[in-house]
Amino acid sequence: MDPRFSRAYGALAGLALGDALGMPTQEMSPAQIRAVYGRITGLVDGDASQPYAPGMPAGSVTDDTEQALLVASLLVRGRGTSSGRVALDAGEFAHALLDWEDSMIERGSLDLLGPSTKAALERVRAGEDPLSVGGAGTTNGAAMRVTPIGIAVSTADPEAFADAVWSSCQVTHATRQGFQSAALVAAAVSMGIDWDTPSASDITALLWKALTYVDSLPERGAWTPDPDVVAATRRAMQLVANPASSSLECLVEQVGTSVASAQAIPMAFALLARDPSPRALLDAANIGGDTDTIGAIAGAILGAALGVEVLPADSLSMIEEVSHLGLSSVAGDLLALRDQALVSSQEESPTSASPAADPDTDTSPEESAPASSPTSPAGRVVLMGQILVDLAVRGEALPSPGGDVWAIDEGMHVGGGFNALVAARRMGAEAVSLSPIGDGPYSSLIQAALTREGIADLGPRIAGIDNGFCIAFTDRTGERTFISTKGAETMATASAWADFVRTMHPGDVLYIDGYLMDHPTNREAAEAALRALPEGVRVLLDVSPVIGIPSALPSDGVIVSMNHREAQEIAQQSGDSSVRDRCREPREAARAMLSLLGRPVLVRAGAEGAYIGRPAQPETNTTADEVTAIPTPRVEAIDTNGAGDAHSGVLAVSLAQGIPLERALLLANCAGALSTTVVGPASCPTREEIEAAADALETRADGE
């Protein structure tokens, strides 16, 4: 069977299977399910006590599958396409749903429209505009029927994808939660269709990828006080990543199983991440609440990722025999629609040749590009360092010895070099982590966080030990104090990084977290990697408070970054009183570090900005070392934890994207400053926010 067809068919078949398994238990409590059925282990008849499907035969589907197939039929008939893009006509969709409910009533079914859909469509039945009635829908109705959109539309074009999803939910669920829930399911299905080498072990990565994708889409829909669905799903996935909170009982308690989109979709994702197999659909059928919808969503994603072959053939045969769905032909039609839409989008946006340089000017197209726009294929940001977990606490002040204080706020976050990689991702760069990962709950949290952010996790695995943690205390002034433990992240083997570093290419930036130099095995591995570094790969070394500079650091293509306090510490270690005296002020500290290290040095000075010291360059007629001041925005800092990481991450990605150095430094300063205005370590702002702040500083400088 063709793999794409298998996955398209699998999405619909998984939807129907999860739906049919959950049919007999929908809206029952776990205790009621146990009392009536024991445990659901396959397709069974609905009990007479079933509130919505009393006496329905095993293999019967519910509104989840029927409405999904209704969406599919509108798309396939061509009524749902316009200008080559997949989209549902609001009026036609609204009346098709009303006709469907009328037919269900005629059949004597109790399984009718859900609360949000019912409320919106009754207003349509009364004569209101279908586009004006869905502003209160926050239940899971849009998500349960969106699978055909995921099959018919690729995520390659975010705008077309978002438009298609929005067309399927705006009549009944025109809220932020309605759009998020439908987009999450459709994105996971669509990405599964395009997955080249699917395996069960990779489904968690697929789910995190869908989360990241939807989180990047512009917001749509009306505001409601209900929880953010993306955030709720992320929390559910984090629960599963921790063995201590991954049980079904814990998920039911912490996530919920109601018709609310902020419960049903997170639960479906969590069940799949917990057990990426058809067993997840059985779990859905037994947890109580909206079992049919949770199972249908989980089944659609599972089938889209792994293909119809992963689903039990005997169960699918029974469903087809009882419910007469014809899923195979529907899958083929939706795939054809997907291919048609892709062809149309390519025709609308043909690849254009690069513009030729104007013969009347000396400026090439590349030179005329905006300062913050990369003009050649961007390189990667590669972390050679350590990632651990931050146990973050905020309070008024550290307690005196033997004292006691109450925390204002607390949280558990993945930190260390991870923060810099998140900053790189916020800037649109490809990021790679080479940090060692161990075994244990902290290691699981780190792996999940890397996947969530779309960071390639290529670090060595250290068996038998967990990653370490850091207690990070932030006082009322925003200043932070750290106490760290040592775990797997400190135990890289001597050859851990050299093999990967050899594969790096010019344009890549190797970001070295200076903390690693405090651990002998990491230092040895770092120096071996630096000796293997290909020519043309730039290096950004953040010396960190531990102060460590590898002996194998190249002489060219390197920037050594430090804050003013670290510069003073290096001067103290040098034993040279003249160097120590010159480091009292940050500008002169940059000059002193430049002369001491013989490489470009950046000294960060908080609200004062930063100073970059660069050696003389005869080829550019620069005959003396120079120090340039780089301004920074004025902000009210509330949490400085992670500011240096944001600075380094944005600087690294700016260098990888070919942005001129002084502009890159300005962007980095803005990122570091803005990150202090919010609580949390991975607090780097968006690229748009960073560039706006940098533009404002440049405008101010021009005016002066």
Side-chain angles (χ1 to χ4, degrees):
M1 186 181 297
D2 175 71
R4 288 176 75 245
F5 175 75
S6 173
R7 295 195 284 269
Y9 183 14
L12 295 176
L15 172 81
L17 177 61
D19 185 14
L21 287 170
M23 174 274 294
T25 61
Q26 55 183 312
E27 299 309 320
M28 298 172 72
S29 71
Q32 290 172 320
I33 295 170
R34 288 192 297 271
V36 175
Y37 303 104
R39 175 175 171 82
I40 297 293
T41 58
L43 300 171
V44 299
D45 297 337
D47 187 76
S49 64
Q50 216 309 302
Y52 292 99
M56 286 188 69
S60 300
V61 297
T62 76
D63 58 333
D64 302 84
T65 303
E66 293 205 6
Q67 289 188 28
L69 292 177
L70 176 63
V71 169
S73 69
L74 293 175
L75 296 176
V76 171
R77 290 204 309 255
R79 300 179 183 177
T81 60
S82 66
S83 303
R85 288 197 170 188
V86 176
L88 292 170
D89 178 82
E92 184 178 39
F93 186 34
H95 289 288
L97 286 170
L98 287 170
D99 291 344
W100 173 84
E101 182 174 51
D102 290 342
S103 72
M104 295 293 284
I105 294 172
E106 290 177 4
R107 286 181 271 169
S109 175
L110 300 177
D111 197 8
L112 305 175
L113 297 172
S116 295
T117 302
K118 182 72 173 178
L121 293 183
E122 284 304 314
R123 294 171 62 185
V124 175
R125 200 189 292 274
E128 292 190 50
D129 184 349
L131 294 178
S132 68
V133 299
T138 60
T139 53
N140 56 27
M144 78 180 192
R145 61 184 180 237
V146 80
T147 291
I149 296 287
I151 299 172
V153 185
S154 169
T155 56
D157 184 342
E159 182 180 0
F161 173 82
D163 286 347
V165 171
W166 181 243
S167 77
S168 74
C169 64
Q170 63 179 333
V171 174
T172 59
H173 295 77
T175 61
R176 177 170 56 95
Q177 291 82 1
F179 175 72
Q180 287 178 322
S181 64
L184 281 170
V185 177
V189 168
S190 185
M191 291 174 177
I193 300 293
D194 289 333
W195 209 356
D196 290 332
T197 56
S199 67
S201 62
D202 294 329
I203 283 186
T204 299
L206 174 72
L207 297 172
W208 279 117
K209 186 178 179 182
L211 263 170
T212 302
Y213 179 86
V214 173
D215 199 28
S216 72
L217 297 174
E219 284 192 5
R220 298 198 187 198
W223 179 89
T224 76
D226 287 38
D228 183 278
V229 181
V230 170
T233 306
R234 184 177 292 118
R235 286 194 296 271
M237 295 282 287
Q238 289 168 341
L239 285 173
V240 174
N242 186 347
S245 58
S246 64
S247 68
L248 286 178
E249 294 76 14
C250 184
L251 292 177
V252 170
E253 180 181 337
Q254 297 290 322
V255 179
T257 61
S258 78
V259 299
S261 58
Q263 293 187 20
I265 286 76
M267 179 59 78
F269 272 55
L271 291 177
L272 272 184
R274 182 177 178 274
D275 187 352
S277 78
R279 292 186 298 270
L281 312 189
L282 294 174
D283 289 337
N286 286 281
I287 58 176
D290 201 4
T291 55
D292 56 333
T293 296
I294 294 170
I297 291 171
I301 298 170
L302 178 69
L306 301 182
V308 71
E309 294 86 358
V310 77
L311 305 174
D314 55 344
S315 295
L316 297 183
S317 296
M318 178 180 284
I319 293 171
E320 284 287 1
E321 181 180 347
V322 172
S323 299
H324 311 290
L325 303 177
L327 300 179
S328 175
S329 64
V330 177
D333 291 338
L334 290 171
L335 267 184
L337 191 60
R338 182 188 189 95
D339 293 338
Q340 175 186 322
L342 286 171
V343 170
S344 296
S345 66
Q346 292 168 358
E347 291 174 347
E348 291 175 6
S349 304
T351 302
S352 56
S354 300
D358 186 340
D360 297 326
T361 70
D362 294 328
T363 305
S364 68
E366 289 81 4
E367 293 171 333
S368 63
S372 297
S373 301
T375 58
S376 58
R380 300 166 296 177
V381 175
V382 178
L383 167 69
M384 192 165 70
Q386 57 187 41
I387 297 175
L388 68 173
V389 172
D390 286 342
L391 307 179
V393 180
R394 284 201 307 141
E396 284 295 312
L398 282 168
S400 58
D404 193 359
V405 297
W406 288 104
I408 299 172
D409 192 16
E410 54 81 26
M412 179 184 295
H413 317 280
V414 177
F418 172 76
N419 299 328
L421 294 179
V422 170
R425 293 291 294 147
R426 298 271 168 85
M427 292 287 286
E430 183 179 351
V432 178
S433 169
L434 301 182
S435 178
I437 304 288
D439 291 328
Y442 291 144
S443 302
S444 296
L445 285 175
I446 291 168
Q447 288 177 281
L450 291 169
T451 302
R452 181 181 71 245
E453 296 292 341
I455 298 166
D457 176 14
L458 303 181
R461 289 319 191 246
I462 311 297
I465 187 170
D466 204 354
N467 281 69
F469 64 90
C470 170
I471 301 173
F473 184 90
T474 305
D475 65 20
R476 64 177 178 273
T477 70
E479 192 54 70
R480 74 273 192 273
T481 302
F482 298 143
I483 301 177
S484 301
T485 68
K486 298 179 181 180
E489 75 285 348
T490 69
M491 301 178 182
T493 60
S495 59
W497 298 320
D499 288 344
F500 178 87
V501 164
R502 289 189 185 94
T503 71
M504 296 179 67
H505 52 76
D508 289 343
V509 173
L510 180 64
Y511 168 60
I512 304 176
D513 169 13
Y515 276 102
L516 66 79
M517 301 305 296
D518 198 45
H519 313 297
T521 58
N522 283 14
R523 175 188 284 270
E524 184 180 355
E527 293 184 343
L530 286 170
R531 288 191 291 270
L533 194 70
E535 187 176 350
V537 176
R538 302 189 72 170
V539 176
L540 174 62
L541 168 65
D542 187 340
V543 300
S544 83
V546 174
I547 314 295
I549 298 175
S551 60
L553 197 66
S555 56
D556 297 325
V558 175
I559 295 176
V560 182
S561 179
M562 64 191 73
N563 62 35
H564 186 206
R565 186 180 68 246
E566 291 161 356
Q568 292 175 313
E569 179 63 25
I570 293 174
Q572 190 71 28
Q573 292 176 2
S574 73
D576 189 328
S577 59
S578 65
V579 173
R580 187 172 59 248
D581 293 342
R582 292 166 64 192
C583 286
R584 291 172 181 163
E585 300 296 329
R587 178 187 287 273
E588 288 307 307
R591 198 179 301 278
M593 291 297 102
L594 172 61
S595 65
L596 184 67
L597 301 177
R599 298 169 177 84
V601 173
L602 178 69
V603 175
R604 309 186 303 272
E608 191 176 332
Y611 296 90
I612 179 71
R614 287 171 286 189
Q617 299 178 350
E619 66 273 13
T620 59
N621 296 320
T622 305
T623 57
D625 296 347
E626 59 176 323
V627 174
T628 305
I630 309 297
T632 195
R634 296 281 182 182
V635 299
E636 184 174 347
I638 61 173
D639 187 355
T640 59
N641 189 14
D645 296 323
H647 189 287
S648 293
V650 170
L651 177 56
V653 71
S654 298
L655 296 174
Q657 293 177 344
I659 295 173
L661 180 59
E662 290 193 19
R663 173 71 176 185
L665 292 167
L666 186 64
L667 293 171
N669 276 5
C670 292
L674 294 176
S675 74
T676 68
T677 63
V678 296
V679 176
S683 53
C684 184
T686 64
R687 183 174 192 131
E688 290 74 18
E689 292 170 322
I690 295 168
E691 292 191 329
D695 291 343
L697 285 175
E698 288 184 330
T699 300
R700 189 183 310 155
D702 291 342
E704 294 172 355

PDB file of all heavy atoms in Angstrom, residues 567-585:
ATOM      1  N   ALA A 567      34.701  39.788  33.494  1.00  0.00           N
ATOM      2  CA  ALA A 567      35.939  40.396  33.013  1.00  0.00           C
ATOM      3  C   ALA A 567      36.859  40.733  34.183  1.00  0.00           C
ATOM      4  O   ALA A 567      38.085  40.521  34.120  1.00  0.00           O
ATOM      5  CB  ALA A 567      35.627  41.652  32.195  1.00  0.00           C
ATOM      6  N   GLN A 568      36.265  41.249  35.257  1.00  0.00           N
ATOM      7  CA  GLN A 568      37.072  41.583  36.429  1.00  0.00           C
ATOM      8  C   GLN A 568      37.668  40.324  37.053  1.00  0.00           C
ATOM      9  O   GLN A 568      38.810  40.340  37.527  1.00  0.00           O
ATOM     10  CB  GLN A 568      36.206  42.344  37.444  1.00  0.00           C
ATOM     11  CG  GLN A 568      35.798  43.740  36.963  1.00  0.00           C
ATOM     12  CD  GLN A 568      34.855  44.429  37.909  1.00  0.00           C
ATOM     13  OE1 GLN A 568      33.870  43.836  38.364  1.00  0.00           O
ATOM     14  NE2 GLN A 568      35.128  45.672  38.233  1.00  0.00           N
ATOM     15  N   GLU A 569      36.916  39.234  37.042  1.00  0.00           N
ATOM     16  CA  GLU A 569      37.414  37.985  37.602  1.00  0.00           C
ATOM     17  C   GLU A 569      38.577  37.444  36.761  1.00  0.00           C
ATOM     18  O   GLU A 569      39.577  36.969  37.304  1.00  0.00           O
ATOM     19  CB  GLU A 569      36.290  36.949  37.674  1.00  0.00           C
ATOM     20  CG  GLU A 569      36.703  35.599  38.220  1.00  0.00           C
ATOM     21  CD  GLU A 569      37.191  35.653  39.651  1.00  0.00           C
ATOM     22  OE1 GLU A 569      36.798  36.582  40.395  1.00  0.00           O
ATOM     23  OE2 GLU A 569      38.010  34.771  40.024  1.00  0.00           O
ATOM     24  N   ILE A 570      38.447  37.509  35.431  1.00  0.00           N
ATOM     25  CA  ILE A 570      39.541  37.066  34.565  1.00  0.00           C
ATOM     26  C   ILE A 570      40.778  37.919  34.804  1.00  0.00           C
ATOM     27  O   ILE A 570      41.909  37.409  34.858  1.00  0.00           O
ATOM     28  CB  ILE A 570      39.113  37.126  33.086  1.00  0.00           C
ATOM     29  CG1 ILE A 570      38.016  36.088  32.813  1.00  0.00           C
ATOM     30  CG2 ILE A 570      40.303  36.879  32.164  1.00  0.00           C
ATOM     31  CD1 ILE A 570      37.430  36.174  31.413  1.00  0.00           C
ATOM     32  N   ALA A 571      40.582  39.217  34.966  1.00  0.00           N
ATOM     33  CA  ALA A 571      41.709  40.108  35.251  1.00  0.00           C
ATOM     34  C   ALA A 571      42.378  39.730  36.563  1.00  0.00           C
ATOM     35  O   ALA A 571      43.609  39.737  36.683  1.00  0.00           O
ATOM     36  CB  ALA A 571      41.225  41.558  35.283  1.00  0.00           C
ATOM     37  N   GLN A 572      41.587  39.409  37.574  1.00  0.00           N
ATOM     38  CA  GLN A 572      42.119  38.998  38.868  1.00  0.00           C
ATOM     39  C   GLN A 572      42.933  37.721  38.718  1.00  0.00           C
ATOM     40  O   GLN A 572      44.032  37.593  39.284  1.00  0.00           O
ATOM     41  CB  GLN A 572      40.961  38.779  39.858  1.00  0.00           C
ATOM     42  CG  GLN A 572      41.391  38.570  41.304  1.00  0.00           C
ATOM     43  CD  GLN A 572      41.932  39.834  41.949  1.00  0.00           C
ATOM     44  OE1 GLN A 572      41.547  40.942  41.576  1.00  0.00           O
ATOM     45  NE2 GLN A 572      42.859  39.681  42.887  1.00  0.00           N
ATOM     46  N   GLN A 573      42.414  36.765  37.937  1.00  0.00           N
ATOM     47  CA  GLN A 573      43.110  35.504  37.730  1.00  0.00           C
ATOM     48  C   GLN A 573      44.419  35.682  36.966  1.00  0.00           C
ATOM     49  O   GLN A 573      45.344  34.891  37.124  1.00  0.00           O
ATOM     50  CB  GLN A 573      42.200  34.522  36.980  1.00  0.00           C
ATOM     51  CG  GLN A 573      40.992  34.044  37.775  1.00  0.00           C
ATOM     52  CD  GLN A 573      40.072  33.159  36.948  1.00  0.00           C
ATOM     53  OE1 GLN A 573      40.359  32.863  35.782  1.00  0.00           O
ATOM     54  NE2 GLN A 573      38.960  32.722  37.530  1.00  0.00           N
ATOM     55  N   SER A 574      44.490  36.711  36.131  1.00  0.00           N
ATOM     56  CA  SER A 574      45.694  36.936  35.325  1.00  0.00           C
ATOM     57  C   SER A 574      46.910  37.291  36.175  1.00  0.00           C
ATOM     58  O   SER A 574      48.059  37.074  35.757  1.00  0.00           O
ATOM     59  CB  SER A 574      45.458  38.034  34.296  1.00  0.00           C
ATOM     60  OG  SER A 574      45.421  39.320  34.913  1.00  0.00           O
ATOM     61  N   GLY A 575      46.665  37.846  37.354  1.00  0.00           N
ATOM     62  CA  GLY A 575      47.765  38.262  38.220  1.00  0.00           C
ATOM     63  C   GLY A 575      48.452  39.526  37.772  1.00  0.00           C
ATOM     64  O   GLY A 575      49.462  39.936  38.365  1.00  0.00           O
ATOM     65  N   ASP A 576      47.945  40.189  36.741  1.00  0.00           N
ATOM     66  CA  ASP A 576      48.532  41.414  36.208  1.00  0.00           C
ATOM     67  C   ASP A 576      47.776  42.600  36.799  1.00  0.00           C
ATOM     68  O   ASP A 576      46.595  42.825  36.478  1.00  0.00           O
ATOM     69  CB  ASP A 576      48.454  41.408  34.683  1.00  0.00           C
ATOM     70  CG  ASP A 576      49.236  42.547  34.045  1.00  0.00           C
ATOM     71  OD1 ASP A 576      49.331  43.629  34.656  1.00  0.00           O
ATOM     72  OD2 ASP A 576      49.709  42.368  32.892  1.00  0.00           O
ATOM     73  N   SER A 577      48.421  43.347  37.636  1.00  0.00           N
ATOM     74  CA  SER A 577      47.749  44.456  38.314  1.00  0.00           C
ATOM     75  C   SER A 577      47.279  45.526  37.342  1.00  0.00           C
ATOM     76  O   SER A 577      46.237  46.160  37.548  1.00  0.00           O
ATOM     77  CB  SER A 577      48.663  45.070  39.374  1.00  0.00           C
ATOM     78  OG  SER A 577      49.867  45.554  38.771  1.00  0.00           O
ATOM     79  N   SER A 578      48.026  45.745  36.263  1.00  0.00           N
ATOM     80  CA  SER A 578      47.624  46.764  35.292  1.00  0.00           C
ATOM     81  C   SER A 578      46.331  46.354  34.591  1.00  0.00           C
ATOM     82  O   SER A 578      45.455  47.195  34.336  1.00  0.00           O
ATOM     83  CB  SER A 578      48.739  47.012  34.280  1.00  0.00           C
ATOM     84  OG  SER A 578      48.974  45.857  33.477  1.00  0.00           O
ATOM     85  N   VAL A 579      46.219  45.061  34.265  1.00  0.00           N
ATOM     86  CA  VAL A 579      44.976  44.568  33.662  1.00  0.00           C
ATOM     87  C   VAL A 579      43.827  44.702  34.653  1.00  0.00           C
ATOM     88  O   VAL A 579      42.720  45.122  34.299  1.00  0.00           O
ATOM     89  CB  VAL A 579      45.141  43.105  33.203  1.00  0.00           C
ATOM     90  CG1 VAL A 579      43.799  42.536  32.736  1.00  0.00           C
ATOM     91  CG2 VAL A 579      46.173  43.000  32.099  1.00  0.00           C
ATOM     92  N   ARG A 580      44.081  44.337  35.900  1.00  0.00           N
ATOM     93  CA  ARG A 580      43.041  44.417  36.932  1.00  0.00           C
ATOM     94  C   ARG A 580      42.554  45.856  37.105  1.00  0.00           C
ATOM     95  O   ARG A 580      41.353  46.110  37.195  1.00  0.00           O
ATOM     96  CB  ARG A 580      43.587  43.880  38.250  1.00  0.00           C
ATOM     97  CG  ARG A 580      42.552  43.757  39.342  1.00  0.00           C
ATOM     98  CD  ARG A 580      43.106  43.031  40.555  1.00  0.00           C
ATOM     99  NE  ARG A 580      44.275  43.711  41.130  1.00  0.00           N
ATOM    100  CZ  ARG A 580      45.502  43.217  41.108  1.00  0.00           C
ATOM    101  NH1 ARG A 580      45.738  42.034  40.556  1.00  0.00           N
ATOM    102  NH2 ARG A 580      46.516  43.897  41.649  1.00  0.00           N
ATOM    103  N   ASP A 581      43.468  46.798  37.124  1.00  0.00           N
ATOM    104  CA  ASP A 581      43.091  48.198  37.306  1.00  0.00           C
ATOM    105  C   ASP A 581      42.270  48.722  36.130  1.00  0.00           C
ATOM    106  O   ASP A 581      41.352  49.528  36.311  1.00  0.00           O
ATOM    107  CB  ASP A 581      44.344  49.059  37.496  1.00  0.00           C
ATOM    108  CG  ASP A 581      45.066  48.756  38.809  1.00  0.00           C
ATOM    109  OD1 ASP A 581      44.432  48.152  39.711  1.00  0.00           O
ATOM    110  OD2 ASP A 581      46.256  49.118  38.922  1.00  0.00           O
ATOM    111  N   ARG A 582      42.599  48.286  34.930  1.00  0.00           N
ATOM    112  CA  ARG A 582      41.891  48.762  33.742  1.00  0.00           C
ATOM    113  C   ARG A 582      40.464  48.229  33.660  1.00  0.00           C
ATOM    114  O   ARG A 582      39.658  48.754  32.891  1.00  0.00           O
ATOM    115  CB  ARG A 582      42.656  48.355  32.486  1.00  0.00           C
ATOM    116  CG  ARG A 582      43.997  49.085  32.324  1.00  0.00           C
ATOM    117  CD  ARG A 582      44.861  48.418  31.275  1.00  0.00           C
ATOM    118  NE  ARG A 582      44.262  48.477  29.952  1.00  0.00           N
ATOM    119  CZ  ARG A 582      44.711  47.767  28.909  1.00  0.00           C
ATOM    120  NH1 ARG A 582      45.728  46.927  29.079  1.00  0.00           N
ATOM    121  NH2 ARG A 582      44.126  47.880  27.740  1.00  0.00           N
ATOM    122  N   CYS A 583      40.128  47.204  34.424  1.00  0.00           N
ATOM    123  CA  CYS A 583      38.820  46.566  34.327  1.00  0.00           C
ATOM    124  C   CYS A 583      37.775  47.165  35.263  1.00  0.00           C
ATOM    125  O   CYS A 583      36.682  46.606  35.420  1.00  0.00           O
ATOM    126  CB  CYS A 583      38.929  45.070  34.584  1.00  0.00           C
ATOM    127  SG  CYS A 583      39.661  44.162  33.199  1.00  0.00           S
ATOM    128  N   ARG A 584      38.105  48.302  35.883  1.00  0.00           N
ATOM    129  CA  ARG A 584      37.126  48.912  36.773  1.00  0.00           C
ATOM    130  C   ARG A 584      35.914  49.443  36.007  1.00  0.00           C
ATOM    131  O   ARG A 584      34.800  49.442  36.520  1.00  0.00           O
ATOM    132  CB  ARG A 584      37.786  50.037  37.570  1.00  0.00           C
ATOM    133  CG  ARG A 584      38.802  49.521  38.587  1.00  0.00           C
ATOM    134  CD  ARG A 584      39.581  50.634  39.233  1.00  0.00           C
ATOM    135  NE  ARG A 584      40.560  50.096  40.186  1.00  0.00           N
ATOM    136  CZ  ARG A 584      41.572  50.778  40.654  1.00  0.00           C
ATOM    137  NH1 ARG A 584      41.742  52.049  40.281  1.00  0.00           N
ATOM    138  NH2 ARG A 584      42.432  50.223  41.519  1.00  0.00           N
ATOM    139  N   GLU A 585      36.115  49.900  34.777  1.00  0.00           N
ATOM    140  CA  GLU A 585      35.038  50.386  33.929  1.00  0.00           C
ATOM    141  C   GLU A 585      34.863  49.440  32.739  1.00  0.00           C
ATOM    142  O   GLU A 585      35.844  48.916  32.206  1.00  0.00           O
ATOM    143  CB  GLU A 585      35.314  51.805  33.424  1.00  0.00           C
ATOM    144  CG  GLU A 585      35.461  52.836  34.530  1.00  0.00           C
ATOM    145  CD  GLU A 585      34.171  53.007  35.305  1.00  0.00           C
ATOM    146  OE1 GLU A 585      33.081  52.829  34.706  1.00  0.00           O
ATOM    147  OE2 GLU A 585      34.249  53.324  36.510  1.00  0.00           O
TER     148      GLU A 585
END
